[in-house]
Amino acid sequence: MDDRKFSVLIAGGGSTYTPGIVMTLLESQKQFPIRKLKFYDNDAARQKKIADAIAILMKERAPEVEFLATTDPETAFSDVDFVMAQIRVGKYAMRSVDEKIPLKHGVVGQETTGPGGIAYGLRSIPGVIELVDYMEQYSPNAWMLNYSNPAAIVAEATRRLRPNSRIINICDMPIAIMDRMAKIVGLPGRNDLVFRYYGLNHFGWWTDVRDKTGRDLMPQLKAYVAKNGYWLQDQEPGKEASWISTYKKAADVYALDPTTLPNTYLKYYLYPKYVVEHADPNYTRTDEVEAGREKTVFGECARVVANGTAKDIQFQASNHSTYIVDLCTAIAYDTKQRLLAIIPNEGAVANIDPEAMVEVPCLFGANGPERLSMGNAATFQKGLITEQNCVEKLVVDAYEQHSYIKLWEAMSLCKIVPDAQVAKDILDEMIVANKDFWPELK
Ligand code: NAD
Ligand code: LMR
């Protein structure tokens, strides 16, 4: 009988996503039993606000599971089977800067896209590498599921700088879209779909979506997306305005290639003019997150702590957290479930650089992911992917070589930046804003 129970560390314990993950872990005890849950963060005060509420929850719902929150790497990373990494280096204050500087220059300002994503990438690389090193030092057999953004740049950095590490870079955007696809065709959820998908992170396309009997769902999905994008209309009351707009805009992204279904993030690359025209440079996504998700999560934690009970706690499992627990389950029990991950291409997309970090379906088991072959990228996709992948590689070159020129090239090559002078103006402002985080560029 397999009576193993696992020890899980959430790195970035102060993240707004932490309570949702804890709820999923508690609800998944049959599927993925845990014996220990730890939080690690380098901001003790922020983490404590979440940890104090979760300590009450754990005591009430799973007293047999040991729980602790720490800022000490050795305490955090020792005796761990899975690390769930979700750090935001520079926090929301720097995300806000990433969004607002480009917008001042008429360029898309976004967390993972364009100059904002590049700036965030340079901050995230050392933060995530530090976590990998702690894991290798204190729990060398553990796996890290990393979804700290910008996942594409972080993945390229870990491929190059820690090639043998047990880190799997993942993203919940295609997962959220597949849950929407399931709703559109009337199936319970994304795990009822069999799909083919390829691209880079936040930069990919579905080429095939079927149900488990092999029925082709693409015609029904395409007809829906052509009209509504991935917006579920009256099924999503209370959804934030920016997300409704993103889901709707997928209709225009789809129109460019009616043979596939797109990732929503492609709107930033294919319709940057529209995005900038509809942005408010004084109130960006960070402001929306701070006024929305962050306030709600920390408010709910404070309420639980004040009441001294988590009986009526309002946190819920989400597609984000269930995906992470699905991945842990697949690795722990060698299920060979077909799940998306960002991994070295090595032929998975035949006509794309074998060294690109691509996002493709993999069979997940005890040895990690086994990539599935997605064939050739079509010409349109090949062109877009090749350019964007070179941007991501140049960012990691700039990080490794402390090179101003490489970073300027990355920003100039980026599809949403109109010319090299604009790229330089943005870059020079970003260097000043990121002086506490970036390597000094020569
Ligand atoms: P958040 O700011 O609420 O939480 C991040 C936490 O990381 C903070 O508590 C912060 O103190 C901590 N932190 C920062 N640098 C650290 C370091 N070097 N070591 C340890 N802890 C550190 O952020 P959030 O909005 O909850 O997002 C968390 C992360 O998850 C971000 O990187 C975000 O982009 C990412 N994310 C990824 C996906 C995906 O699917 N790939 C989806 C959503 C969010
Ligand atoms: C976030 O949730 O903050 C991001 O990772 C994606 C978004 O909502 O902008």
Side-chain angles (χ1 to χ4, degrees), residues 17 88 95 111 149 243 265 285 289 293:
Y17 290 93
R88 184 185 289 286
R95 177 180 181 173
E111 182 189 25
N149 269 321
W243 274 110
Y265 276 84
R285 174 70 187 152
V289 170
R293 188 175 72 236

Side-chain angles (χ1 to χ4, degrees), residues 173 176-181 183-184 197 204-206 209 221-222 224-233 236 243-251 253-254 260-265:
M173 190 69 251
I177 296 172
M178 282 194 282
D179 273 333
R180 280 162 187 270
M181 288 178 176
K183 282 215 171 80
I184 292 165
Y197 178 95
W205 294 264
W206 283 266
V209 182
L221 289 170
K222 286 175 178 179
Y224 185 92
V225 174
K227 254 176 75 190
N228 310 291
Y230 298 111
W231 179 49
L232 296 177
Q233 306 180 55
E236 43 188 342
W243 274 110
I244 292 178
S245 151
T246 291
Y247 283 126
K248 282 185 178 170
K249 193 68 184 167
V253 180
Y254 164 73
T260 60
L261 287 166
N263 190 301
T264 43
Y265 276 84

Side-chain angles (χ1 to χ4, degrees), residues 93-393:
M94 289 308 297
R95 177 180 181 173
S96 178
V97 171
D98 293 344
E99 292 166 349
K100 290 178 174 96
I101 291 178
L103 275 172
K104 268 205 298 191
H105 297 269
V107 171
V108 172
Q110 209 278 326
E111 182 189 25
T112 62
T113 308
I118 291 173
Y120 187 15
L122 280 191
R123 294 197 303 277
S124 280
I125 294 170
V128 173
I129 295 286
E130 184 177 69
L131 300 182
V132 170
D133 290 348
Y134 288 146
M135 179 177 84
E136 295 197 335
Q137 183 177 354
Y138 297 115
S139 284
N141 294 321
W143 287 94
M144 181 180 291
L145 304 175
N146 176 60
Y147 36 100
S148 312
N149 269 321
I153 292 170
V154 168
E156 171 60 13
T158 55
R159 179 190 75 79
R160 255 195 244 186
L161 302 172
R162 296 293 182 274
N164 301 315
S165 61
R166 286 156 70 103
I167 178 172
I168 298 162
N169 293 288
I170 55 170
C171 175
D172 68 5
M173 190 69 251
I175 306 316
I177 296 172
M178 282 194 282
D179 273 333
R180 280 162 187 270
M181 288 178 176
K183 282 215 171 80
I184 292 165
V185 298
L187 288 170
R190 62 180 186 270
N191 288 336
D192 299 288
L193 304 176
V194 182
F195 62 96
R196 291 174 66 79
Y197 178 95
Y198 73 87
L200 307 170
N201 178 236
H202 285 179
F203 206 92
W205 294 264
W206 283 266
T207 55
D208 198 55
V209 182
R210 291 173 190 267
D211 69 12
K212 288 201 165 159
T213 69
R215 185 165 65 95
D216 184 0
L217 302 173
M218 287 293 267
Q220 192 182 347
L221 289 170
K222 286 175 178 179
Y224 185 92
V225 174
K227 254 176 75 190
N228 310 291
Y230 298 111
W231 179 49
L232 296 177
Q233 306 180 55
D234 51 1
Q235 287 184 64
E236 43 188 342
K239 190 84 192 158
E240 291 161 305
S242 64
W243 274 110
I244 292 178
S245 151
T246 291
Y247 283 126
K248 282 185 178 170
K249 193 68 184 167
D252 293 333
V253 180
Y254 164 73
L256 259 156
D257 176 17
T259 68
T260 60
L261 287 166
N263 190 301
T264 43
Y265 276 84
L266 288 159
K267 81 166 187 182
Y268 297 112
Y269 300 91
L270 296 170
Y271 295 100
K273 191 162 161 271
Y274 168 91
V275 172
V276 171
E277 280 167 6
H278 289 79
D280 176 349
N282 299 312
Y283 193 86
T284 55
R285 174 70 187 152
T286 304
D287 302 291
E288 200 180 38
V289 170
E290 285 178 323
R293 188 175 72 236
E294 189 186 39
K295 200 163 161 214
T296 311
V297 166
F298 283 86
E300 177 62 3
C301 286
R303 191 187 67 81
V304 166
V305 171
N307 290 350
T309 174
K311 260 198 326 271
D312 58 350
I313 199 165
Q314 296 299 309
F315 295 123
Q316 278 172 357
S318 65
N319 45 38
H320 177 85
S321 53
T322 53
Y323 181 56
I324 294 159
V325 175
D326 280 353
L327 273 159
C328 291
T329 309
I331 294 173
Y333 296 102
D334 198 30
T335 65
K336 303 289 195 292
Q337 192 178 346
R338 186 181 179 123
L339 295 159
L340 273 176
I342 305 158
I343 57 164
N345 184 21
E346 292 172 17
V349 191
N351 56 352
I352 295 293
D353 182 352
E355 290 196 332
M357 289 301 282
V358 293
E359 193 163 24
V360 288
C362 303
L363 303 182
F364 269 84
N367 294 324
E370 282 181 67
R371 58 182 68 60
L372 295 173
S373 165
M374 291 295 110
N376 281 322
T379 306
F380 177 57
Q381 278 79 8
K382 184 182 173 190
L384 288 167
I385 289 173
T386 303
E387 179 184 74
Q388 177 59 20
N389 187 237
C390 289
V391 173
E392 289 157 9
K393 284 183 181 301

Side-chain angles (χ1 to χ4, degrees), residues 20-96:
I21 292 173
V22 175
M23 296 312 287
T24 306
L25 287 169
L26 290 175
E27 285 166 21
S28 310
Q29 281 303 289
K30 283 215 174 76
Q31 174 191 334
F32 179 69
I34 57 170
R35 62 185 163 85
K36 207 183 252 193
L37 174 65
K38 297 195 267 187
F39 290 178
Y40 167 75
D41 204 290
N42 64 0
D43 179 339
R46 184 179 175 91
Q47 174 166 265
K48 186 173 186 313
K49 291 180 189 155
I50 306 235
D52 285 352
I54 298 300
I56 295 171
L57 173 75
M58 296 300 290
K59 216 180 214 161
E60 288 178 354
R61 302 218 184 151
E64 70 289 359
V65 176
E66 186 185 335
F67 172 70
L68 69 88
T70 180
T71 54
D72 174 51
E74 183 171 357
T75 310
F77 285 82
S78 299
D79 180 28
V80 161
D81 300 305
F82 290 93
V83 180
M84 301 171 172
Q86 46 173 9
I87 60 170
R88 184 185 289 286
V89 179
K91 295 186 255 191
Y92 291 124
M94 289 308 297
R95 177 180 181 173
S96 178

